[in-house]
């Protein structure tokens, strides 16, 4: 096992990794930027090293400074968390060539899975169903137009270098295609400095179902069941749960087995997630992408399986064998996660950084609060707006929803606008409770219906 690990991330995920290290008896060293100086989670690590100014490019995305911190602290491995450099194959490669184990998959798997079109080619070979799509980026207008017609409308134009729900455009018919294609390329260039786009069939009422994977460096791969992340706004997840309320048992097994086949096809190791879209009407599922890192919503899986995914990431990176057999990974009860963002749901989810004046942490049976926030904490403007994740676990979905409502009532995070009022309304919503909705339901129906009640 490693003696010392560097955590190249911030906020709640840095704290999550610090906690895993503490329980494993591994010394943790966390990096921080000037914008995070004085944050209380830094005290939980054994050592904290300032690597630069607030802007990510000068700190959390700055590879030379992170490597220098790893050298100074004399660590054996680097945990990238999620976001920032976690899916950057160059970073993984540089870590390893500088003698630090990268706590994640090989740079080769990250590279192959990071290119969405390449990932789909691998998926096809592994007999994992994919949405009909172009073979790769489509850079000529005539070719794109012809392909769109072949794939069939509605078509989704996706930025090849996109992510986090950004860089997508739906086109309903052939007439509007060319204009949308040009705009999509210009947007991709502006956002990702890469104009490449590819085309994919747009599914109209899908669910987002993803499978958690764990794989060691000795070829053993298991799945830890699925998460349902259908509650989304602008293709970004707001609530995740497990098990999915709509996937029948036989389909669940098929989806999970597909994810394992895909991981084996790329010699994947460490933790990862295979994402699918699912059509409840036809029970068909389609692979969309692999996230070659730990995800925000991993605790949902931890609650239903009892596994500690971060500890497994560390053990696997240290070369240990994954001692779990597939048949030993059981599901118990139901878990739900609400992402608490400092955004004003009454003002179109506008970011609302500021200082937290009061923080009352919810507790009691089956409640988990993963957050670095304390009273007096000033939310920096430089980073993502998520300030915490509220999770519950109960025997059934209905009990989990009641428990979440209770915890959302208890939590007090004052001084800044947050998504807490939104989640309170969602938990009371009849349709959410019925479990039947799709990835655009929130914006299409829930938000218009609740606009007045969320008004600030
Ligand atoms: P990102 O990498 O930006 O997160 P994903 O490919 O993972 O993008 O997709 C994010 C979300 O966008 C999905 O959960 C789904 O809601 C929507 N989406 C993506 N592809 C399609 C598609 N072909 N049809 C319908 N919705 C899609």
């Amino acid at each position: 096992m490693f003696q010392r690990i560097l955590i190249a991330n911030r906020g709640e995920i840095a704290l999550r990794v610090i906690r895993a290290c503490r329980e494993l008896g591994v010394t943790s060293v966390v990096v921080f930027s000037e914008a995070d100086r004085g944050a209380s989670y830094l005290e939980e690590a054994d050592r904290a090293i300032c690597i630069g100014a607030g802007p990510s490019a000068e700190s959390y995305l700055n590879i030379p400074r992170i490597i220098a911190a790893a050298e100074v602290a004399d660590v054996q491995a680097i945990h990238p968390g999620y976001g920032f450099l976690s899916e950057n194959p160059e970073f993984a490669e540089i870590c390893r060539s500088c003698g630090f184990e990268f706590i994640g998959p090989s740079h080769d798997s990250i590279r192959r899975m990071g290119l969405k079109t390449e990932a789909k080619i691998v998926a096809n070979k592994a007999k994992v169903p994919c949405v009909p799509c172009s073979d790769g980026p489509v850079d000529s207008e005539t070719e794109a137009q012809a392909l769109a017609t072949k794939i069939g409308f509605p078509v989704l134009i996706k930025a090849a270098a996109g992510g986090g729900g950004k860089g997508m455009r739906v086109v309903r018919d052939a007439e509007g295609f060319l204009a949308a294609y040009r705009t999509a390329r210009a947007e991709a260039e502006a956002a990702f400095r890469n104009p490449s786009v590819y085309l994919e069939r747009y599914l109209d009422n899908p669910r987002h179902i993803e499978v958690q994977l764990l794989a060691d460096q000795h070829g053993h791969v298991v799945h830890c069941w699925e998460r349902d992340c259908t509650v989304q706004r602008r293709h970004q997840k707001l609530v995740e749960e497990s098990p999915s309320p709509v996937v029948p048992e036989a389909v669940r097994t098929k989806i999970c087995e597909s994810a394992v086949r895909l991981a084996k096809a790329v010699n994947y190791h460490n933790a990862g997630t295979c994402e699918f879209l699912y059509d409840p009407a036809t029970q068909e599922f389609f692979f969309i992408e692999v996230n070659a890192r730990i995800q925000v919503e991993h605790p949902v899986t931890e609650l239903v399986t009892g596994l500690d995914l971060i500890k497994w990431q560390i053990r696997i990176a240290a070369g240990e064998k994954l001692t779990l057999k597939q048949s030993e990974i059981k599901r118990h009860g139901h878990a739900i996660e609400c992402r608490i963002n400092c955004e004003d749901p009454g003002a179109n989810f506008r970011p609302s950084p500021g200082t937290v004046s009061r923080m009352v942490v919810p507790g009691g049976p089956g409640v988990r609060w993963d957050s670095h926030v304390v009273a007096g904490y000033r939310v920096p403007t430089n980073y993502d707006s998520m300030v915490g994740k509220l999770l519950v676990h109960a025997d059934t979905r209905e009990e989990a929803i009641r428990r979440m409502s209770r915890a959302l009532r208890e939590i007090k995070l004052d001084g800044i606008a947050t998504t807490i009022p939104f989640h309170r309304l969602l938990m009371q919503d009849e349709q959410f409770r019925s479990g039947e909705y799709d990835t655009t339901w929130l914006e299409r129906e829930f938000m218009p219906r609740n606009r007045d009640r969320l008004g600030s």
Side-chain angles (χ1 to χ4, degrees):
M1 181 43 77
F2 307 119
Q3 278 184 317
R4 243 186 321 281
I5 286 176
L6 186 87
I7 301 162
N9 214 303
R10 63 176 298 280
E12 78 85 18
I13 192 63
L15 180 57
R16 173 70 188 89
V17 181
I18 292 169
R19 285 173 169 156
C21 288
R22 183 74 61 200
E23 291 181 21
L24 285 170
V26 172
T27 302
S28 60
V29 182
V30 65
V31 302
F32 67 95
S33 74
E34 289 294 353
D36 284 324
R37 183 180 290 285
S40 62
Y41 72 90
L42 298 172
E43 291 167 33
E44 299 308 317
D46 294 288
R47 185 172 176 189
I49 300 179
C50 183
I51 51 165
S56 306
E58 292 172 51
S59 46
Y60 301 108
L61 287 176
N62 192 302
I63 297 177
R65 292 192 191 162
I66 291 170
I67 296 292
E71 273 163 4
V72 167
D74 193 21
V75 300
Q76 290 93 44
I78 300 181
H79 196 301
Y82 52 68
F84 295 122
L85 295 167
S86 60
E87 285 182 288
N88 179 323
E90 283 82 45
F91 180 58
E93 196 168 6
I94 291 168
C95 287
R96 293 195 176 108
S97 64
C98 292
F100 306 113
E101 193 49 55
F102 176 78
I103 303 178
S106 71
H107 47 83
D108 182 55
S109 314
I110 302 178
R111 196 166 277 130
R112 291 176 72 191
M113 294 298 104
L115 299 168
K116 293 188 183 194
T117 48
E118 165 84 17
K120 289 208 172 94
I121 294 169
V122 178
N124 266 322
K125 274 198 200 136
K127 302 216 169 359
V128 176
C130 294
V131 201
C133 66
S134 57
D135 287 339
V138 197
D139 293 319
S140 110
E141 290 187 356
T142 32
E143 199 193 331
Q145 181 94 56
L147 256 171
T149 313
K150 189 173 150 214
I151 288 170
F153 288 93
V155 157
L156 185 63
I157 308 180
K158 278 185 167 179
K166 298 194 185 81
M168 285 189 235
R169 190 165 272 265
V170 184
V171 194
R172 293 269 159 202
D173 48 48
E175 287 79 73
F177 181 78
L178 216 51
Y181 174 80
R182 288 179 186 147
T183 319
R185 282 180 67 88
E187 280 173 0
E189 170 70 42
F192 314 109
R193 277 183 260 145
N194 178 351
S196 263
V197 294
Y198 68 99
L199 310 181
E200 187 170 289
R201 179 70 192 268
Y202 181 73
L203 304 183
D204 254 320
N205 303 101
R207 308 274 307 197
H208 175 113
I209 306 291
E210 58 184 35
V211 178
Q212 177 68 54
L213 294 164
L214 277 179
D216 67 16
Q217 301 192 47
H218 312 277
H220 181 44
V221 185
V222 294
H223 68 76
C224 310
W225 306 102
E226 89 285 10
R227 292 184 289 259
D228 188 320
C229 316
T230 301
V231 179
Q232 301 183 355
R233 180 179 170 272
R234 300 196 176 158
H235 307 306
Q236 295 195 45
K237 302 161 185 170
L238 283 166
V239 173
E240 300 95 343
E241 62 185 298
S242 184
S244 166
V246 297
V247 175
E249 206 53 47
V251 182
R252 170 175 292 122
T253 309
K254 274 203 235 163
I255 299 183
C256 293
E257 286 172 354
S258 295
V260 169
R261 275 205 306 282
L262 183 54
K264 285 188 176 160
V266 286
N267 292 323
Y268 194 89
H269 60 81
N270 216 284
T273 299
C274 204
E275 297 190 330
F276 298 89
L277 295 179
Y278 172 66
D279 182 350
T282 60
Q283 300 198 347
E284 287 176 295
F285 58 90
F286 303 98
F287 165 73
I288 48 172
E289 69 166 343
V290 168
N291 285 145
R293 54 171 162 82
I294 195 73
Q295 281 184 297
V296 169
E297 60 271 27
H298 76 273
V300 170
T301 299
E302 295 187 322
L303 290 176
V304 290
T305 60
L307 297 171
D308 186 315
L309 295 173
I310 307 288
K311 282 188 192 165
W312 272 116
Q313 281 198 293
I314 297 171
R315 290 195 191 109
I316 287 169
E320 283 187 25
K321 283 195 170 148
L322 183 58
T323 48
L324 300 162
K325 290 198 197 90
Q326 185 64 65
S327 58
E328 291 167 352
I329 304 175
K330 304 261 192 255
R331 288 182 293 129
H332 299 281
H334 199 97
I336 305 178
E337 168 176 280
C338 289
R339 295 192 188 201
I340 311 300
N341 298 342
C342 58
E343 292 169 2
D344 185 349
N348 221 4
F349 291 81
R350 185 178 57 213
S352 71
T355 300
V356 175
S357 55
R358 183 166 76 129
M359 173 78 246
V360 177
V361 172
V367 176
R368 171 168 165 178
W369 171 239
D370 273 25
S371 170
H372 59 294
V373 170
V374 295
Y377 177 70
R378 196 174 49 77
V379 181
T381 49
N382 310 68
Y383 315 111
D384 188 84
S385 63
M386 198 182 73
V387 287
K389 307 183 301 202
L390 181 58
L391 291 115
V392 295
H393 184 229
D395 286 340
T396 63
R397 184 170 191 263
E398 203 184 318
E399 284 173 85
I401 293 174
R402 283 168 174 273
R403 183 161 276 171
M404 182 59 91
S405 292
R406 189 268 290 171
L408 286 164
R409 204 188 137 100
E410 274 178 38
I411 190 172
K412 309 281 178 315
L413 215 167
D414 299 342
I416 54 173
T418 71
T419 47
I420 294 170
F422 156 82
H423 287 298
R424 285 183 189 140
L425 283 176
L426 183 69
M427 293 301 132
Q428 286 161 19
D429 186 88
E430 280 306 315
Q431 198 168 348
F432 174 74
R433 286 173 167 253
S434 76
E436 285 178 21
Y437 39 85
D438 57 52
T439 52
T440 55
W441 165 76
L442 194 78
E443 284 168 279
R444 204 179 58 233
E445 293 182 32
F446 178 84
M447 288 310 292
R449 193 159 68 223
N450 288 282
R451 193 139 285 143
D452 289 348
R453 285 194 269 178
L454 284 167
S456 51

